[in-house]
Amino acid sequence: MELPGFAVWMFVCLYASVIGYPNGKVREACTSMVPCHGGSPQLSPEHTITVNGTEFKPGDNIEVHLSGPDFEGFFIQARDAERLDGPALGSFVLADRRHSQLLTCGRTKNSAVSHTSKVKKKDIKVYWVAPGDAPKHVQFLATVVKKYRIFWVKIPGPVVSQPDVLSPTPPLYATSEAMSTSHPISYISKPFSASSCGIMKFCIRNPTNCDPGSASCFFLSFQQEESSVFIEMSGPSEGYLAFAFSHDQWMGGDDAYLCVNEDHRVHVSTACLRERSHPLLDSENALEDVAWRFADGVLQCSFRRRIRLPAYQGRFNLDTSYYIFMADGEASEGGLIYKHRRQPLVTDGPYNVTGLPQDIGGSRAPRLIKAHGALMFVAWITMVSIGVIVARFFKPVWSHSFLLGKELWFQVHRMLMLTTVVLTSISFVLPFVYRGGWSHQAGFHPYLGCAVMALTIFQPLMAGFRPSRHAPRRQLFNWFHWSTGTTARILAVVTMFLGMDLPALDLPDPWDTYAMIGFVAWHVGTDVLLEIHSYCLVRKAEVIEDDRVQILQSLTSAEAEGRLFKQIVLTIYVCGNIVFLVAFLMAVNQV
């Protein structure tokens, strides 16, 4: 079954909106002469078409010259001046094969000319050969692409006529597609207001309850007006802002809207999202009352669209609940947008923007990823660190205190380490549940995380086979136990360093890095302080007992004299760890 022509054209345009036409193979645009770049054509042409004569006879050659400021692409045709929506007429002959090439539009061979590459050019010269069945009046038309998103469609050229034929009255001009397909664009005079949020508007703000006029507030609002919805979007971005409606919390099959800043001029367009790929910009714009503003690094745009748009493929009905995404990123000079460098803002559930007005926030980190980060912080900032300090320095202090039949230091150490195993195991599973498998976009973080998980499981298994205190293999066990634990701690800290800046969590920079460096310094400083204290006690007692100086630097009996000092240091250390932990958990909760 043959697809309708319109559907084929729409498919080609959506595909070409991603790859463009850098090689000039634009046959798919033969009829409309519209490049499938998304956005709207410019209204006032900067380029002109000239010819070397005003009359022609069948078989004559007419020199056609396109010139103007630097441009990357072009598309030239000749059409019946009295029926500009008709097919291309006649054929062309090239004057410069380096910058121009012949195309076949319809059944007429060589009936159009286009560029061969994106190399900038100022003028193009070709020759048009009049066909035997030429109409009385022929007009030359040109589409010119200055940059990817800056282009003019059907720039009108001169009208040439056959001899003894009166000039067309009134003069014929080609009409730009922009005049027939786009809506007027106006300028926003001031920042948006959040005063009606939750009353008349459905609003999303990040940070929660922020002022849209501030330079750090991402704002998105929807206000129903009869059969349409008026939408406002603003945020700190010099590239682009975008939002999308989605049936789930994953990119793919979504209805997207983009405001792209290009040379301080903002283009507003609709697009479809296909998995994790570049948005497919629509060739037709369903938006009305488009307005924009870019000032002090804050990008604003507003527009209106109907609640239901059955004629526009890919546009969702706005009377249904959806997850709502909001993203920002950089854009190139030609209007090409780059992947957002951080996780998009996502609502915590599906919402109907035409339903009850609400004023909600959003999160750039999914709940499962937040829980993953929080559990890892609890395990490795508090449990492991305190457990290591207790085992290393508190054996003589708590050796005569017992809990459930075992020495107190050993029970505290074992309890903290087993808790670490449980928390790490739970945390390890959460990203796989969220992603549905392995993440190939997280760099070294998942690989190091797997190594940490393996060492975390191996450590208590090895402890289960611990030899007795005076067994010959006890010293070998001590070495393995210490080296495995130390390796796991170092890898865990490195893994957390890498994970904090991943898009799925992305704690605020550079605060997160400084805080983690502070924690490492805090732990190392405490460790060094207690080591110095132990050394001083040994020197003071002047006792050297080789059988007690083990690889793990077991404390001698003389060190018990520093019990009070160690307890004070441990108390301060635990309090400091809790401060670091609370700071990290608050940061995780805010993203």
Side-chain angles (χ1 to χ4, degrees), residues 551-567:
I551 296 299
L552 291 181
Q553 295 296 308
S554 297
L555 304 178
T556 65
S557 58
E559 291 181 292
E561 299 175 10
R563 175 178 304 185
L564 179 61
F565 176 81
K566 291 179 180 179
Q567 290 179 341

Side-chain angles (χ1 to χ4, degrees), residues 264-436:
H264 295 276
R265 178 183 176 87
V266 179
H267 298 275
V268 182
S269 59
T270 55
C272 292
L273 300 181
R274 297 283 185 263
E275 301 301 332
R276 292 177 174 269
S277 60
H278 195 282
L280 302 177
L281 302 179
D282 294 332
S283 57
E284 292 187 277
N285 208 332
L287 309 180
E288 303 174 356
D289 298 336
V290 176
W292 62 270
R293 179 176 184 252
F294 180 69
D296 301 324
V298 176
L299 179 62
Q300 293 175 255
C301 62
S302 64
F303 52 86
R304 187 186 315 277
R305 64 146 284 188
R306 295 188 176 277
I307 295 176
R308 292 178 174 267
L309 292 169
Y312 292 87
Q313 185 178 5
R315 303 281 73 78
F316 292 0
N317 295 331
L318 299 187
D319 52 1
T320 306
S321 295
Y322 305 102
Y323 287 93
I324 303 173
F325 291 70
M326 189 175 181
D328 64 289
E330 297 179 353
S332 68
E333 285 186 4
L336 285 170
I337 66 173
Y338 298 104
K339 179 183 177 181
H340 44 81
R341 291 184 297 179
R342 56 177 175 172
Q343 191 83 352
L345 187 71
V346 185
T347 57
D348 58 2
Y351 290 91
N352 183 349
V353 298
T354 59
L356 184 68
Q358 298 185 57
D359 186 6
I360 65 173
S363 174
R364 295 188 184 276
R367 290 179 177 177
L368 289 178
I369 299 301
K370 283 186 175 183
H372 168 74
L375 291 176
M376 285 299 186
F377 283 135
V378 171
W380 293 93
I381 286 183
T382 54
M383 301 297 172
V384 168
S385 301
I386 297 172
V388 168
I389 293 291
V390 167
R392 190 175 181 85
F393 299 105
F394 281 77
K395 287 181 181 178
V397 176
W398 292 343
S399 59
H400 301 293
S401 301
F402 293 88
L403 179 65
L404 300 178
K406 296 285 185 179
E407 294 174 334
L408 179 60
W409 73 266
F410 178 77
Q411 293 289 49
V412 172
H413 173 75
R414 183 167 62 177
M415 177 191 67
L416 292 173
M417 293 309 180
L418 290 178
T419 303
T420 297
V421 173
V422 173
L423 294 179
T424 303
S425 301
I426 296 173
S427 178
F428 179 79
V429 173
L430 297 182
F432 291 96
V433 175
Y434 171 69
R435 293 289 184 186

Side-chain angles (χ1 to χ4, degrees), residues 148-190:
Y148 183 81
R149 294 289 294 271
I150 301 179
F151 57 88
W152 294 263
V153 174
K154 292 183 179 177
I155 297 174
V159 176
V160 295
S161 305
Q162 296 197 45
D164 303 324
V165 176
L166 296 176
S167 297
T169 305
L172 298 180
Y173 299 99
T175 52
S176 170
E177 291 291 323
M179 297 180 182
S180 59
T181 63
S182 66
H183 303 283
I185 296 177
S186 58
Y187 186 76
I188 300 171
S189 60
K190 60 182 180 179

Side-chain angles (χ1 to χ4, degrees), residues 509-529:
D509 286 323
W511 175 93
D512 57 345
T513 302
Y514 293 152
M516 183 57 74
I517 292 174
F519 164 70
V520 173
W522 173 254
H523 178 76
V524 172
T526 303
D527 204 320
V528 170
L529 177 64

Side-chain angles (χ1 to χ4, degrees), residues 83-141:
R83 195 164 67 89
L84 291 175
D85 59 348
L89 302 173
S91 59
F92 287 90
V93 176
L94 301 180
D96 183 359
R97 294 184 178 275
R98 294 175 305 166
H99 298 132
S100 56
Q101 63 181 330
L102 298 172
L103 298 178
T104 297
C105 284
R107 299 180 180 179
T108 307
K109 187 177 181 180
N110 301 336
S111 55
V113 186
S114 73
H115 55 283
T116 57
S117 70
K118 293 176 60 178
V119 173
K120 294 186 182 298
K121 35 208 161 271
K122 290 183 180 292
D123 58 82
I124 291 293
K125 183 172 71 173
V126 295
Y127 298 95
W128 178 71
V129 181
D133 57 350
K136 297 178 180 180
H137 308 287
V138 173
Q139 186 169 25
F140 296 96
L141 306 175

Side-chain angles (χ1 to χ4, degrees), residues 30 122 201 251 262 317 366:
C30 278
K122 290 183 180 292
K201 296 179 181 179
M251 287 180 62
E262 182 184 350
N317 295 331

Side-chain angles (χ1 to χ4, degrees), residues 28-43:
E28 292 81 5
C30 278
T31 302
S32 67
M33 296 188 71
V34 178
C36 297
H37 294 181
S40 302
Q42 308 298 305
L43 298 179

